[in-house]
Amino acid sequence: MQFLGSHLLSTEQLTLGDIDTVFQTARLLEPVARGEKVTRLLEGAVLANLFFEPSTRTRISFGSAFSRLGGRVLDTTGFEFSSFAKGESIYDTSRVISGYVDVMVVRHPRLGAVKEFAEASGVPVINGGDGPGEHPTQALLDLYTLHKELGRELHQFDGIRIALVGDLKYGRAVKSLARLLSLFKGITFHLVAPDELQMPSALVQHLQACGHQVLQTSDLATGLHGVQAVYSTRIQEERFPSPEDADRFRGSYSINRAVFEQHCQPGTVLMHPLPRDNRSEHCELNNDLNSHPQLAIFRQTDNGIPVRMALFALVMGVQDQITASLQDPRWALRRR
Amino acid sequence: MQFLGSHLLSTEQLTLGDIDTVFQTARLLEPVARGEKVTRLLEGAVLANLFFEPSTRTRISFGSAFSRLGGRVLDTTGFEFSSFAKGESIYDTSRVISGYVDVMVVRHPRLGAVKEFAEASGVPVINGGDGPGEHPTQALLDLYTLHKELGRELHQFDGIRIALVGDLKYGRAVKSLARLLSLFKGITFHLVAPDELQMPSALVQHLQACGHQVLQTSDLATGLHGVQAVYSTRIQEERFPSPEDADRFRGSYSINRAVFEQHCQPGTVLMHPLPRDNRSEHCELNNDLNSHPQLAIFRQTDNGIPVRMALFALVMGVQDQITASLQDPRWALRRR
Amino acid sequence: MQFLGSHLLSTEQLTLGDIDTVFQTARLLEPVARGEKVTRLLEGAVLANLFFEPSTRTRISFGSAFSRLGGRVLDTTGFEFSSFAKGESIYDTSRVISGYVDVMVVRHPRLGAVKEFAEASGVPVINGGDGPGEHPTQALLDLYTLHKELGRELHQFDGIRIALVGDLKYGRAVKSLARLLSLFKGITFHLVAPDELQMPSALVQHLQACGHQVLQTSDLATGLHGVQAVYSTRIQEERFPSPEDADRFRGSYSINRAVFEQHCQPGTVLMHPLPRDNRSEHCELNNDLNSHPQLAIFRQTDNGIPVRMALFALVMGVQDQITASLQDPRWALRRR
């Protein structure tokens, strides 16, 4: 895709070449993301960070990414939006706000709502999650994490073996990641879920049609065998007839240190889109793994910053100025 | 008025000379408002953007205007304000916050509340709307839009003919605009509304006492005849005995492409303070006009940025530094 | 304490030397706090200002302090936090957000919650108030105010006489101030409160064990006699069997101009952590004192800015760059 001035609504817009562009840009920006260098690339620019559905961490992640680039962030949070209540259309709302700012991030509970924002907007719109739809920046940061954790460049991804565990039916993040991975060659997917929550057959068929191996199992031990990475997801109580049913299922797909050491090969990367349900002993990735070097879940959220910075830089068209900006001696290695 | 350090609470503070000052300043700032140039005029300055009544777009407009000038924005939203609940007076709240920031924008549902903030504040307070009271920055951006759309300088406004349509009784924006227009000479006002929603007689008499022509009519076709601009407003359901009554009235004052082409002379400017009620086929300015070149409603909201920037620059006393700041070669024409 | 990279959770972390460091840093930053000078000390840095309990003014005070230093602020407000609702632990929330920003301010209704944030965070956490627990920055700004109002350096504090009035049992701010004052020598504390709201005996014994004089009284006139400063606090209705009881108590500890002139020596400093309950004629410090030169309550809130700026500068390790940054001729004395 042509990033400059474009909307990012779906992972389906992205080719492997686009992903490579995002990742190269993200790597350049890592010192800024970590607060070691300062840039004014987006000085004077304003982001409307519109969260019509609460998601504190995603909102802060986008806001921090834009701030780190030198821009200003204006937040809107909450379901209730004053003008919608007075009968205003998304078209009007989006067109008006797009006249105030340089870029919008929109999260909305309704599938397709972010696309409606994009259609009316005169500035780029980035999908921050639209209900059961897409969350493309999450999929990109997941893939970026996999690339860093496995120590593989994108052209070395072909042939890896990954387990996707938990709720593969409703989990937005895991489905988007599977779609991105389908762009490579010869991946082996272990789809580990109770039958009720297996991946939709259309997506399974798509993976197979792209030439990938798919192993579907409801048995965790089988699913973990021989993979290089595990992507675990939250099993939501409301998907089951009773809390007891939910808990039983959770217990079957919960990975703790003992399960990890028994069933995973050393060096297996453990990922999760978060939040985990830490209340339960059946937490998807148990707290007893918190200090385990293979638990990548917080490096995963950390990676959201350079990836989102890269997307902002690309849609705003400042990516070519990054290197020069970081060599400015006035700002080099400021802190600690 | 002397802008430096002053509050802006009401359109009644403004002379034609003041308006001219605001508009000249706004014109200088248009490249910054559009994101083409970057300025640090208000670097280090902080705005408290206090919205005790929700108004997402007005809040973002003020926030973006201050951000574009290089300042930082701290938002407060929602009816509930923690200290008020503990019995704190507006005097204390305002005096405390005025010690934290350089300027405040206050929106409040109660008439007169913003004036109370101003009386206690050590820094300028700008009225962002106080219930049925005033919304002076809306009136200024409406007039600025009229000036740009008609291609007339302020000294060329005398003698224009404008239709004000819809709810002229409760509509805050339209009444403030009428008051500003009363400063010129020989305007012809077409006041087009159902009898129940006609403009308050005190304001009509004020317009007449200033030497303006006033034509009051409940007939839309009559009202649109021969005007250079139409300012349409929302008719709110709650003003009528039943939703059906409201809808009947709305139907009578709704302008769509057919009505526009039949009754308005070519080149007539179509304005609206927004939000429109897009749900109804009787929307005040119908969606079938969205791509019409004479529909100025989004240029109107766009104009809110340079006008609000100008007001901030004036009350903060940096207007004389604008030109020099924009000639700084480091920031000229940065993007796209 | 070593400020760089540390959390500030409790006044008990602070020695007199630490307080002196904070105050010296705050004094350097006063011109920036007042908006007379501009600094970019924290350019590129991001603050997560997390208020899980509403406190608009404290939030704005921290936000403004960080903004004045050139940093960017991302706010979260409200009890409801999306991830907590999904069962996420404070550990995960804090660890994730600490990967997005450079420093966190956390206010939380539950005692100990802020400490949990700190334990998981990779960046400094400043306690913005944890329920009945601590509010260390309030205590520091109170002591800073006392130092400025009395015109005494810290080494001259020994031997002062201060009245603490009102709710000494539940009042978080007044207890923290007492703990800070206990670091000096030979203070005389007048603890003026109804028996039901007297200071907890453990804290009284601590003050005495440190060698201070403690006079406990329920009589306001006795308590005000001979002190150099009065620290008044709000008596909350909910502590009493009925509103009438509360009002009776409030009346007994309310200071107005007449009480002040009759019972306090000239030059006595009047302080209060705010908010006051201005609704009642029995307001702790009556509105008829608003223009009195000895009423220090708004200078007190003003002082929150340089004190909080100093803490940010210290935990971020930029305090040594302040002087050089303020001598930069490009930014000197910008406004008015």
Side-chain angles (χ1 to χ4, degrees), chain A residues 140-156:
Chain A
L140 281 168
L141 74 87
D142 286 340
L143 190 63
Y144 188 72
T145 301
L146 215 45
H147 134 75
K148 286 175 70 176
E149 295 291 321
L150 295 176
R152 291 185 185 234
E153 296 305 313
L154 288 181
H155 67 266
Q156 302 169 315

Side-chain angles (χ1 to χ4, degrees), chain B residues 167-300:
Chain B
D167 178 356
L168 309 184
K169 184 171 183 186
Y170 300 102
R172 181 173 59 187
V174 71
K175 291 186 289 184
S176 290
L177 178 61
R179 263 186 231 104
L180 275 193
L181 285 169
S182 76
L183 296 172
F184 298 97
K185 296 276 171 244
I187 309 276
T188 303
F189 290 93
H190 292 201
L191 306 181
V192 190
D195 294 344
E196 294 86 339
L197 295 177
Q198 259 295 352
M199 188 170 278
S201 56
L203 183 50
V204 173
Q205 284 159 23
H206 170 71
L207 297 178
Q208 289 167 330
C210 294
H212 302 293
Q213 296 294 318
V214 176
L215 165 72
Q216 288 185 289
T217 177
S218 62
D219 180 59
L220 183 63
T222 306
L224 296 181
H225 186 71
V227 298
Q228 285 127 324
V230 176
Y231 192 94
S232 176
T233 64
R234 201 160 55 94
I235 293 180
Q236 292 174 276
E237 217 159 78
E238 55 269 37
R239 307 299 181 196
F240 291 88
S242 76
E244 292 70 33
D245 284 306
D247 226 44
R248 185 166 51 79
F249 273 114
R250 277 204 209 105
S252 309
Y253 298 95
S254 170
I255 299 173
N256 57 22
R257 190 175 276 260
V259 170
F260 180 76
E261 287 174 357
Q262 188 182 349
H263 297 294
C264 295
Q265 61 189 30
T268 302
V269 179
L270 288 177
M271 295 172 62
H272 191 291
L274 297 187
R276 303 185 275 182
D277 188 343
N278 299 84
R279 286 169 302 191
S280 163
E281 53 171 326
H282 299 320
C283 180
E284 307 91 71
L285 293 175
N286 201 283
N287 284 327
D288 72 0
L289 287 161
N290 281 358
S291 61
H292 198 291
Q294 291 310 109
L295 188 77
I297 57 175
F298 300 121
R299 294 191 290 277
Q300 207 177 337

Side-chain angles (χ1 to χ4, degrees), chain A residues 92-168:
Chain A
D92 277 18
T93 301
S94 177
R95 173 61 192 81
V96 168
I97 295 178
S98 82
Y100 295 161
V101 300
D102 299 282
V103 57
M104 288 195 254
V105 169
V106 182
R107 184 174 196 126
H108 198 285
R110 180 167 61 74
L111 176 68
V114 179
K115 187 158 173 281
E116 291 175 40
F117 268 89
E119 283 162 0
S121 168
V123 301
V125 171
I126 294 178
N127 187 351
D130 61 333
E134 286 259 8
H135 189 6
T137 62
Q138 175 75 43
L140 281 168
L141 74 87
D142 286 340
L143 190 63
Y144 188 72
T145 301
L146 215 45
H147 134 75
K148 286 175 70 176
E149 295 291 321
L150 295 176
R152 291 185 185 234
E153 296 305 313
L154 288 181
H155 67 266
Q156 302 169 315
F157 259 65
D158 297 349
I160 67 163
R161 187 179 285 263
I162 184 171
L164 310 179
V165 180
D167 177 357
L168 310 183

Side-chain angles (χ1 to χ4, degrees), chain C residues 178-228:
Chain C
R179 262 185 232 105
L180 274 194
L181 285 169
S182 77
L183 297 172
F184 297 97
K185 296 277 171 245
I187 309 277
T188 303
F189 291 94
H190 292 201
L191 306 181
V192 189
D195 294 344
E196 292 86 340
L197 296 177
Q198 259 296 351
M199 188 170 274
S201 56
L203 182 50
V204 172
Q205 283 159 24
H206 170 71
L207 297 178
Q208 289 168 331
C210 293
H212 302 292
Q213 296 294 317
V214 176
L215 165 72
Q216 289 186 287
T217 177
S218 62
D219 180 60
L220 183 62
T222 307
L224 297 181
H225 186 72
V227 299
Q228 285 127 325

